[in-house]
């Protein structure tokens, strides 16, 4: 599917998602909330939660308390949820080895591992971005200092690598090893692209895979590896996770310019101000007209760092159709994610994986 | 053995080590240099070096170059050396499984893993300490910025956890998982002990295990685990590594006050200035006399942060016997490390493990 095709099909998808507002609660046809989505793996999600909030012990009471606070402060746990649902959705197969036919402790560890890596990278991101607030709580770097945050992030990565090693599956190890590398390389290449106009859609998608989609895709398909499923099923869930992850990142980048600070917790236009060109900006540059030129100048001269320049750039993004086109692009990736699920038997878990796509897309509307 | 016993025996050890100056080259009875020490595992050390300088590839050429520069900048590779020597020294046993009787790829990975964790923690330490120079080269945080250093450290931890997982041995995984946790907890507890007079020798040794000895001990005994050796041999090598590691840390702390900036690369008294009480200071506090009281006051009032206060504190450490007693303590741990080797058959590798103790101790003289 070309980007154009994807965009066209995505537009319908995005429109359909927008019609289903989350405010409509349990109305038929409404987008389910996360509790409904999690229903097929509610018990397992609880085990993950217990692991994160009570089992992450440390010899030092101080560190144990810090870790416990970090996870009690919340987060949607969308990564472990995707991982558990995909594990559950890839269980039902007659050909499957009976010894691998139920959700096991390894599936829980896989989900925990996925959240630990996410948490570690957030703690380090907050150091990198000098962020003060995360999920309504003061960040570790703010409450203590950068040193403590670097060390706490390291400790979380350490816990993650213990989980990874416990899974004792060479394929899974290979996948997560790549993910850890991708996460760092993704952030490093983002840093190096600041205020560069050389970013194109390919580079943008690659960076989004490294930063976001790689981890989500790992959680989504490694359960099927543990379930000893066919390569076809494993690849389909990998496709699902990758496309959902890209969709997720695009929606995040969209919220940065549409300014729903309540949803992102960041000031409007933070990315642009930092010289990071994401989908909405790339669509403007792709127009190849006067609007593109003016926009490029605002970035190149770093005028976007000042209030007036940023305001002008955001106006260009909106008036030049950057927001609408970005919504379509997110929808297109969401559709690709959902299409990938067709290979799986229709189960409540598969339905929930599909519902997560809507859940992500309605954030953009 | 009590601390008093250890100190007494250690004094002899330290004296004997001091008599063997490294400058005497290949004279009989002299302390061998690292090249001589490494001779029994020279081939394997080369494989480790190749892995570190060329095999650590990354999709991004920029990151690959950065990693390659980091390892080409040197370092003594003392941790992989200890690991390989201990692997070699624990090979010779008639009862050993013939499939595990030679140095294998896993022993190389174990050594690489140990150096990767060390390198990662150095890169993050340099962020934490805002250090500009390491091993005569500008640090990553200096050459680029803190962000890049946090990410590069993460990337090295990621590479380490790939190595760890590749070893596929649950015991080894457990050991290194604990090491990674210890490293962070050790640094965190050190941070929390700044300017606290509540530090005693127990807490100091615990912190030294976390910060330094835990990783050295892991490298030293995990080869024996891979060699399927008896628990007795494994424990002996663990003891060797732990005591050598504590000795190593004590010597480092000694060099901080004796001021061999050339050996440490840090200004004299850096630890004291930062309110970190190490062995030389603890011996002064343990005197329980007027000198102790004055020293405690200089720390409590943070006068050590200023040039005059630091100078006075360093003079007290020297005149109060803090340096001499610390040398004895290092010698005592060195002796315990060497004693632990007695269980092994006499091989060139065992001799080199013993020589490393001297190598570490002569740094203190």
């Amino acid at each position: 599917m070309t980007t154009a095709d994807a965009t066209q099909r995505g537009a319908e998808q995005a429109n359909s998602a927008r019609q289903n507002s989350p405010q409509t609660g349990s109305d038929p046809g409404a987008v389910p909330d996360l509790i409904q989505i999690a229903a097929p793996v509610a018990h397992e999600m609880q085990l993950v939660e217990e692991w994160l909030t009570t089992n992450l012990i440390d010899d030092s009471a101080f560190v144990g308390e810090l870790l416990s606070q970090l996870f009690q402060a919340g987060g949607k746990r969308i990564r472990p949820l995707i991982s558990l649902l995909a594990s559950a959705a890839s269980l039902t197969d007659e050909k499957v080895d009976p010894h691998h036919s139920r959700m096991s402790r390894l599936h829980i560890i896989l989900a925990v591992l996925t959240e630990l890596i996410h948490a570690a990278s957030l703690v380090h991101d907050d150091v990198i971005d000098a962020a003060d607030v995360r999920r309504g709580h003061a960040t570790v770097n703010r409450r203590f200092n950068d040193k403590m945050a670097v060390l706490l992030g390291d400790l979380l990565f350490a816990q993650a690598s213990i989980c990874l090693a416990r899974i004792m599956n060479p394929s899974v190890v290979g996948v997560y090893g790549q993910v850890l590398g991708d996460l760092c390389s993704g952030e490093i290449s983002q840093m190096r692209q600041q205020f560069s106009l050389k970013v194109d859609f390919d580079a943008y998608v690659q960076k989004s895979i490294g930063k976001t989609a790689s981890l989500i895709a790992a959680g989504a398909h490694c359960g099927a590896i543990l379930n000893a499923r066919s390569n076809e099923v494993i690849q389909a869930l990998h496709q699902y996770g990758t496309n959902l992850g890209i969709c997720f990142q695009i929606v995040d980048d969209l919220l940065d310019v549409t300014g729903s600070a309540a949803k992102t917790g960041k000031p409007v236009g933070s990315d642009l101000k930092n010289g990071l060109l994401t989908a909405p900006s790339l669509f403007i540059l792709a127009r190849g007209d006067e609007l593109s030129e003016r926009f490029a100048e605002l970035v190149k001269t770093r005028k976007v760092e000042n209030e007036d320049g940023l305001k002008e750039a955001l106006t260009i993004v909106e008036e030049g159709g950057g927001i609408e086109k970005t919504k379509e692009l997110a929808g297109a990736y969401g559709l690709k994610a959902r299409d990938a699920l067709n290979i799986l038997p229709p189960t409540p878990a598969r339905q929930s994986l599909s519902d997560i796509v809507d859940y992500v897309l309605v954030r953009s509307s």
Side-chain angles (χ1 to χ4, degrees), chain A:
Chain A
M1 187 159 68
T2 65
T3 305
D5 290 341
T7 307
Q8 195 173 354
R9 291 185 68 193
E12 298 152 25
Q13 165 94 352
N15 286 333
S16 131
R18 269 196 301 280
Q19 284 154 18
N20 300 321
S21 151
Q23 276 78 36
T24 52
S26 59
D27 285 0
V31 177
D33 61 24
L34 277 186
I35 294 176
Q36 287 173 280
I37 291 175
V41 292
H43 172 62
E44 289 80 4
M45 279 298 282
Q46 205 173 338
L47 295 177
V48 167
E49 205 59 26
E50 277 168 25
W51 189 306
L52 292 173
T53 53
T54 62
N55 290 11
L56 281 184
I57 47 150
D58 189 275
D59 293 341
S60 142
F62 171 78
V63 175
E65 181 66 23
L66 208 60
L67 287 172
S68 155
Q69 279 173 13
L70 189 77
F71 286 106
Q72 276 164 11
K76 291 197 272 317
R77 308 277 191 264
I78 203 158
R79 287 161 187 79
L81 175 59
I82 292 166
S83 175
L84 289 172
L85 286 170
S87 290
S90 61
L91 279 176
T92 317
D93 188 324
E94 286 151 27
K95 284 173 289 180
V96 84
D97 175 349
H99 298 295
H100 290 88
S101 63
R102 276 189 305 278
M103 293 280 266
S104 75
R105 198 169 150 270
L106 292 186
H107 292 106
I108 307 295
I109 297 180
L110 186 71
V112 167
L113 155 68
T114 311
E115 185 70 5
L116 284 172
I117 293 175
H118 175 58
S121 71
L122 289 187
V123 171
H124 280 181
D125 280 358
D126 287 341
V127 177
I128 291 172
D129 302 337
D132 290 334
V133 176
R134 162 85 65 185
R135 295 168 184 164
H137 293 74
T139 56
V140 180
N141 41 311
R142 172 76 181 183
R143 278 174 59 209
F144 300 92
N145 48 44
D146 281 1
K147 301 179 184 194
M148 188 65 88
V150 170
L151 289 169
L152 195 74
D154 287 352
L155 196 66
L156 288 165
F157 276 124
Q159 300 264 8
S161 70
I162 298 171
C163 287
L164 178 57
R166 274 193 194 161
I167 293 177
M168 296 285 284
N169 181 303
S171 307
V172 173
V173 162
V175 169
Y176 275 88
Q178 184 72 40
V179 166
L180 287 168
D182 285 354
L183 266 176
C184 305
S185 312
E187 288 287 345
I188 290 175
S189 65
Q190 172 168 309
M191 262 171 61
R192 300 187 69 230
Q193 284 165 4
Q194 277 177 290
F195 297 102
S196 160
L197 291 167
K198 286 183 192 152
V199 186
D200 58 14
F201 275 99
D202 271 355
Y204 170 69
V205 169
Q206 278 312 310
K207 192 200 68 188
S208 302
I209 291 176
K211 257 186 75 175
T212 308
S214 184
L215 179 59
I216 292 177
H221 83 285
C222 284
I225 295 178
L226 296 176
N227 293 336
R229 293 300 307 270
S230 70
N231 204 36
E232 212 183 355
V233 168
I234 293 168
Q235 283 311 313
L237 282 166
H238 184 264
Q239 279 303 308
Y240 166 78
T242 304
N243 287 297
L244 176 65
I246 298 170
C247 170
F248 196 93
Q249 184 59 51
I250 294 171
V251 171
D252 237 41
D253 294 339
L254 184 66
L255 291 176
D256 186 70
V257 294
T258 56
S260 311
K263 290 180 187 173
T264 61
K266 295 187 294 180
V268 185
S270 293
D271 288 342
L272 252 179
K273 197 173 174 178
N274 288 313
L276 297 176
L277 299 186
T278 62
S281 303
L282 295 178
F283 278 117
I284 298 303
L285 292 173
R287 292 170 57 107
D289 59 5
E290 282 178 12
L291 222 48
S292 311
E293 277 174 33
R294 176 64 188 151
F295 187 82
E297 201 191 316
L298 288 169
V299 174
K300 220 165 31 185
T301 56
R302 300 203 176 202
K303 286 196 177 132
V304 286
E305 288 182 311
N306 306 319
E307 205 178 322
D308 285 349
L310 182 61
K311 208 170 160 189
E312 187 184 343
L314 287 171
T315 306
I316 294 178
V317 167
E318 183 159 13
E319 291 179 357
I323 290 173
E324 212 45 47
K325 279 200 147 38
T326 300
K327 281 185 188 177
E328 289 168 15
L329 186 68
Y333 279 102
L335 196 62
K336 280 163 96 175
R338 194 178 299 178
D339 280 353
L341 297 172
N342 289 338
I343 194 176
L344 298 170
T347 58
R350 186 186 91 167
Q351 184 56 46
S352 285
L353 287 173
S354 173
D355 289 344
I356 285 181
V357 178
D358 286 338
Y359 176 83
V360 170
L361 285 172
V362 291
R363 289 179 76 218
S364 71
S365 59

